[in-house]
PDB file of all heavy atoms in Angstrom:
ATOM      1  N   VAL A 144       5.663  26.090  18.968  1.00  0.00           N
ATOM      2  CA  VAL A 144       5.730  26.863  20.201  1.00  0.00           C
ATOM      3  C   VAL A 144       7.082  27.554  20.282  1.00  0.00           C
ATOM      4  O   VAL A 144       8.071  27.100  19.703  1.00  0.00           O
ATOM      5  CB  VAL A 144       5.530  25.981  21.456  1.00  0.00           C
ATOM      6  CG1 VAL A 144       4.151  25.358  21.462  1.00  0.00           C
ATOM      7  CG2 VAL A 144       6.611  24.912  21.569  1.00  0.00           C
ATOM      8  N   MET A 145       7.118  28.659  21.013  1.00  0.00           N
ATOM      9  CA  MET A 145       8.370  29.331  21.293  1.00  0.00           C
ATOM     10  C   MET A 145       8.966  28.774  22.586  1.00  0.00           C
ATOM     11  O   MET A 145       8.261  28.555  23.567  1.00  0.00           O
ATOM     12  CB  MET A 145       8.166  30.833  21.455  1.00  0.00           C
ATOM     13  CG  MET A 145       7.579  31.540  20.237  1.00  0.00           C
ATOM     14  SD  MET A 145       8.591  31.396  18.752  1.00  0.00           S
ATOM     15  CE  MET A 145       7.578  30.243  17.783  1.00  0.00           C
ATOM     16  N   LEU A 184       9.306  31.014  32.295  1.00  0.00           N
ATOM     17  CA  LEU A 184       8.662  30.880  30.993  1.00  0.00           C
ATOM     18  C   LEU A 184       8.567  29.430  30.518  1.00  0.00           C
ATOM     19  O   LEU A 184       7.794  29.126  29.604  1.00  0.00           O
ATOM     20  CB  LEU A 184       9.432  31.710  29.958  1.00  0.00           C
ATOM     21  CG  LEU A 184       9.329  33.229  30.175  1.00  0.00           C
ATOM     22  CD1 LEU A 184      10.348  33.962  29.310  1.00  0.00           C
ATOM     23  CD2 LEU A 184       7.924  33.725  29.884  1.00  0.00           C
ATOM     24  N   LEU A 185       9.312  28.549  31.131  1.00  0.00           N
ATOM     25  CA  LEU A 185       9.305  27.141  30.725  1.00  0.00           C
ATOM     26  C   LEU A 185       7.909  26.534  30.727  1.00  0.00           C
ATOM     27  O   LEU A 185       7.524  25.858  29.753  1.00  0.00           O
ATOM     28  CB  LEU A 185      10.247  26.349  31.642  1.00  0.00           C
ATOM     29  CG  LEU A 185      10.326  24.843  31.409  1.00  0.00           C
ATOM     30  CD1 LEU A 185      10.917  24.531  30.034  1.00  0.00           C
ATOM     31  CD2 LEU A 185      11.171  24.182  32.504  1.00  0.00           C
ATOM     32  N   PRO A 186       7.087  26.733  31.769  1.00  0.00           N
ATOM     33  CA  PRO A 186       5.746  26.129  31.751  1.00  0.00           C
ATOM     34  C   PRO A 186       4.853  26.645  30.621  1.00  0.00           C
ATOM     35  O   PRO A 186       3.927  25.933  30.204  1.00  0.00           O
ATOM     36  CB  PRO A 186       5.172  26.514  33.124  1.00  0.00           C
ATOM     37  CG  PRO A 186       6.362  26.793  33.984  1.00  0.00           C
ATOM     38  CD  PRO A 186       7.373  27.396  33.059  1.00  0.00           C
ATOM     39  N   VAL A 187       5.104  27.874  30.133  1.00  0.00           N
ATOM     40  CA  VAL A 187       4.328  28.392  29.006  1.00  0.00           C
ATOM     41  C   VAL A 187       4.562  27.523  27.779  1.00  0.00           C
ATOM     42  O   VAL A 187       3.622  27.112  27.080  1.00  0.00           O
ATOM     43  CB  VAL A 187       4.707  29.862  28.715  1.00  0.00           C
ATOM     44  CG1 VAL A 187       3.996  30.359  27.457  1.00  0.00           C
ATOM     45  CG2 VAL A 187       4.371  30.747  29.911  1.00  0.00           C
ATOM     46  N   THR A 188       5.841  27.224  27.518  1.00  0.00           N
ATOM     47  CA  THR A 188       6.191  26.375  26.381  1.00  0.00           C
ATOM     48  C   THR A 188       5.565  24.997  26.511  1.00  0.00           C
ATOM     49  O   THR A 188       4.960  24.472  25.559  1.00  0.00           O
ATOM     50  CB  THR A 188       7.725  26.250  26.281  1.00  0.00           C
ATOM     51  OG1 THR A 188       8.299  27.537  26.068  1.00  0.00           O
ATOM     52  CG2 THR A 188       8.128  25.321  25.154  1.00  0.00           C
ATOM     53  N   ILE A 189       5.699  24.394  27.674  1.00  0.00           N
ATOM     54  CA  ILE A 189       5.201  23.034  27.873  1.00  0.00           C
ATOM     55  C   ILE A 189       3.675  22.983  27.758  1.00  0.00           C
ATOM     56  O   ILE A 189       3.120  22.104  27.077  1.00  0.00           O
ATOM     57  CB  ILE A 189       5.671  22.497  29.241  1.00  0.00           C
ATOM     58  CG1 ILE A 189       7.193  22.301  29.227  1.00  0.00           C
ATOM     59  CG2 ILE A 189       4.970  21.180  29.578  1.00  0.00           C
ATOM     60  CD1 ILE A 189       7.791  21.922  30.575  1.00  0.00           C
ATOM     61  N   ALA A 190       2.995  23.931  28.379  1.00  0.00           N
ATOM     62  CA  ALA A 190       1.524  23.915  28.351  1.00  0.00           C
ATOM     63  C   ALA A 190       0.992  24.119  26.938  1.00  0.00           C
ATOM     64  O   ALA A 190       0.036  23.442  26.516  1.00  0.00           O
ATOM     65  CB  ALA A 190       0.983  24.999  29.275  1.00  0.00           C
ATOM     66  N   PHE A 191       1.599  25.021  26.185  1.00  0.00           N
ATOM     67  CA  PHE A 191       1.109  25.303  24.836  1.00  0.00           C
ATOM     68  C   PHE A 191       1.380  24.118  23.908  1.00  0.00           C
ATOM     69  O   PHE A 191       0.547  23.770  23.070  1.00  0.00           O
ATOM     70  CB  PHE A 191       1.765  26.576  24.310  1.00  0.00           C
ATOM     71  CG  PHE A 191       1.051  27.220  23.149  1.00  0.00           C
ATOM     72  CD1 PHE A 191      -0.299  27.035  22.929  1.00  0.00           C
ATOM     73  CD2 PHE A 191       1.749  28.046  22.264  1.00  0.00           C
ATOM     74  CE1 PHE A 191      -0.953  27.632  21.858  1.00  0.00           C
ATOM     75  CE2 PHE A 191       1.116  28.648  21.193  1.00  0.00           C
ATOM     76  CZ  PHE A 191      -0.236  28.442  20.985  1.00  0.00           C
ATOM     77  N   ALA A 192       2.531  23.485  24.064  1.00  0.00           N
ATOM     78  CA  ALA A 192       2.834  22.315  23.233  1.00  0.00           C
ATOM     79  C   ALA A 192       1.865  21.174  23.527  1.00  0.00           C
ATOM     80  O   ALA A 192       1.335  20.536  22.605  1.00  0.00           O
ATOM     81  CB  ALA A 192       4.272  21.871  23.466  1.00  0.00           C
ATOM     82  N   ARG A 193       1.628  20.913  24.792  1.00  0.00           N
ATOM     83  CA  ARG A 193       0.679  19.846  25.145  1.00  0.00           C
ATOM     84  C   ARG A 193      -0.707  20.136  24.577  1.00  0.00           C
ATOM     85  O   ARG A 193      -1.389  19.238  24.057  1.00  0.00           O
ATOM     86  CB  ARG A 193       0.600  19.717  26.662  1.00  0.00           C
ATOM     87  CG  ARG A 193       1.804  19.042  27.305  1.00  0.00           C
ATOM     88  CD  ARG A 193       1.695  19.077  28.816  1.00  0.00           C
ATOM     89  NE  ARG A 193       2.703  18.266  29.470  1.00  0.00           N
ATOM     90  CZ  ARG A 193       2.956  18.303  30.779  1.00  0.00           C
ATOM     91  NH1 ARG A 193       2.244  19.114  31.563  1.00  0.00           N
ATOM     92  NH2 ARG A 193       3.887  17.539  31.302  1.00  0.00           N
ATOM     93  N   ALA A 194      -1.129  21.387  24.664  1.00  0.00           N
ATOM     94  CA  ALA A 194      -2.444  21.759  24.150  1.00  0.00           C
ATOM     95  C   ALA A 194      -2.515  21.577  22.635  1.00  0.00           C
ATOM     96  O   ALA A 194      -3.567  21.190  22.100  1.00  0.00           O
ATOM     97  CB  ALA A 194      -2.760  23.207  24.530  1.00  0.00           C
ATOM     98  N   GLN A 195      -1.419  21.837  21.947  1.00  0.00           N
ATOM     99  CA  GLN A 195      -1.416  21.663  20.490  1.00  0.00           C
ATOM    100  C   GLN A 195      -1.508  20.195  20.100  1.00  0.00           C
ATOM    101  O   GLN A 195      -2.181  19.842  19.129  1.00  0.00           O
ATOM    102  CB  GLN A 195      -0.179  22.333  19.893  1.00  0.00           C
ATOM    103  CG  GLN A 195      -0.239  23.850  19.978  1.00  0.00           C
ATOM    104  CD  GLN A 195       0.858  24.546  19.201  1.00  0.00           C
ATOM    105  OE1 GLN A 195       1.368  24.041  18.211  1.00  0.00           O
ATOM    106  NE2 GLN A 195       1.224  25.742  19.647  1.00  0.00           N
ATOM    107  N   LEU A 205       9.694  23.311  18.239  1.00  0.00           N
ATOM    108  CA  LEU A 205      10.079  24.227  19.302  1.00  0.00           C
ATOM    109  C   LEU A 205      11.103  25.203  18.733  1.00  0.00           C
ATOM    110  O   LEU A 205      12.215  24.798  18.387  1.00  0.00           O
ATOM    111  CB  LEU A 205      10.679  23.469  20.482  1.00  0.00           C
ATOM    112  CG  LEU A 205      11.281  24.339  21.586  1.00  0.00           C
ATOM    113  CD1 LEU A 205      10.177  24.854  22.508  1.00  0.00           C
ATOM    114  CD2 LEU A 205      12.323  23.577  22.391  1.00  0.00           C
ATOM    115  N   LEU A 226      16.841  22.931  30.471  1.00  0.00           N
ATOM    116  CA  LEU A 226      15.423  23.197  30.228  1.00  0.00           C
ATOM    117  C   LEU A 226      14.902  22.392  29.045  1.00  0.00           C
ATOM    118  O   LEU A 226      13.769  21.890  29.067  1.00  0.00           O
ATOM    119  CB  LEU A 226      15.202  24.690  29.990  1.00  0.00           C
ATOM    120  CG  LEU A 226      15.634  25.625  31.123  1.00  0.00           C
ATOM    121  CD1 LEU A 226      15.252  27.063  30.790  1.00  0.00           C
ATOM    122  CD2 LEU A 226      15.004  25.206  32.444  1.00  0.00           C
ATOM    123  N   ILE A 229      14.082  18.958  30.095  1.00  0.00           N
ATOM    124  CA  ILE A 229      12.782  18.909  30.765  1.00  0.00           C
ATOM    125  C   ILE A 229      11.652  18.920  29.735  1.00  0.00           C
ATOM    126  O   ILE A 229      10.688  18.148  29.827  1.00  0.00           O
ATOM    127  CB  ILE A 229      12.636  20.100  31.739  1.00  0.00           C
ATOM    128  CG1 ILE A 229      13.618  19.965  32.899  1.00  0.00           C
ATOM    129  CG2 ILE A 229      11.204  20.201  32.260  1.00  0.00           C
ATOM    130  CD1 ILE A 229      13.686  21.187  33.793  1.00  0.00           C
ATOM    131  N   ILE A 230      11.775  19.792  28.730  1.00  0.00           N
ATOM    132  CA  ILE A 230      10.740  19.904  27.697  1.00  0.00           C
ATOM    133  C   ILE A 230      10.555  18.588  26.965  1.00  0.00           C
ATOM    134  O   ILE A 230       9.434  18.093  26.793  1.00  0.00           O
ATOM    135  CB  ILE A 230      11.088  21.033  26.714  1.00  0.00           C
ATOM    136  CG1 ILE A 230      10.914  22.399  27.397  1.00  0.00           C
ATOM    137  CG2 ILE A 230      10.222  20.962  25.461  1.00  0.00           C
ATOM    138  CD1 ILE A 230      11.461  23.563  26.600  1.00  0.00           C
ATOM    139  N   THR A 231      11.650  17.983  26.525  1.00  0.00           N
ATOM    140  CA  THR A 231      11.533  16.737  25.753  1.00  0.00           C
ATOM    141  C   THR A 231      11.037  15.575  26.600  1.00  0.00           C
ATOM    142  O   THR A 231      10.418  14.648  26.063  1.00  0.00           O
ATOM    143  CB  THR A 231      12.882  16.359  25.109  1.00  0.00           C
ATOM    144  OG1 THR A 231      13.885  16.213  26.130  1.00  0.00           O
ATOM    145  CG2 THR A 231      13.336  17.411  24.105  1.00  0.00           C
ATOM    146  N   GLU A 233       8.856  15.963  29.240  1.00  0.00           N
ATOM    147  CA  GLU A 233       7.537  16.221  29.826  1.00  0.00           C
ATOM    148  C   GLU A 233       6.416  16.441  28.810  1.00  0.00           C
ATOM    149  O   GLU A 233       5.251  16.295  29.162  1.00  0.00           O
ATOM    150  CB  GLU A 233       7.614  17.440  30.769  1.00  0.00           C
ATOM    151  CG  GLU A 233       8.390  17.176  32.041  1.00  0.00           C
ATOM    152  CD  GLU A 233       8.166  18.248  33.085  1.00  0.00           C
ATOM    153  OE1 GLU A 233       7.325  19.144  32.871  1.00  0.00           O
ATOM    154  OE2 GLU A 233       8.857  18.183  34.130  1.00  0.00           O
ATOM    155  N   ILE A 234       6.750  16.808  27.588  1.00  0.00           N
ATOM    156  CA  ILE A 234       5.677  17.155  26.651  1.00  0.00           C
ATOM    157  C   ILE A 234       4.934  15.922  26.155  1.00  0.00           C
ATOM    158  O   ILE A 234       3.728  15.940  25.961  1.00  0.00           O
ATOM    159  CB  ILE A 234       6.229  18.006  25.488  1.00  0.00           C
ATOM    160  CG1 ILE A 234       6.456  19.435  25.993  1.00  0.00           C
ATOM    161  CG2 ILE A 234       5.286  17.990  24.290  1.00  0.00           C
ATOM    162  CD1 ILE A 234       7.011  20.384  24.957  1.00  0.00           C
TER     163      ILE A 234
END
Side-chain angles (χ1 to χ4, degrees):
V144 297
M145 300 300 108
L184 292 168
L185 177 65
V187 175
T188 299
I189 292 173
F191 199 25
R193 285 175 171 169
Q195 290 189 28
L205 173 81
L226 301 184
I229 293 172
I230 289 170
T231 58
E233 290 194 6
I234 284 179

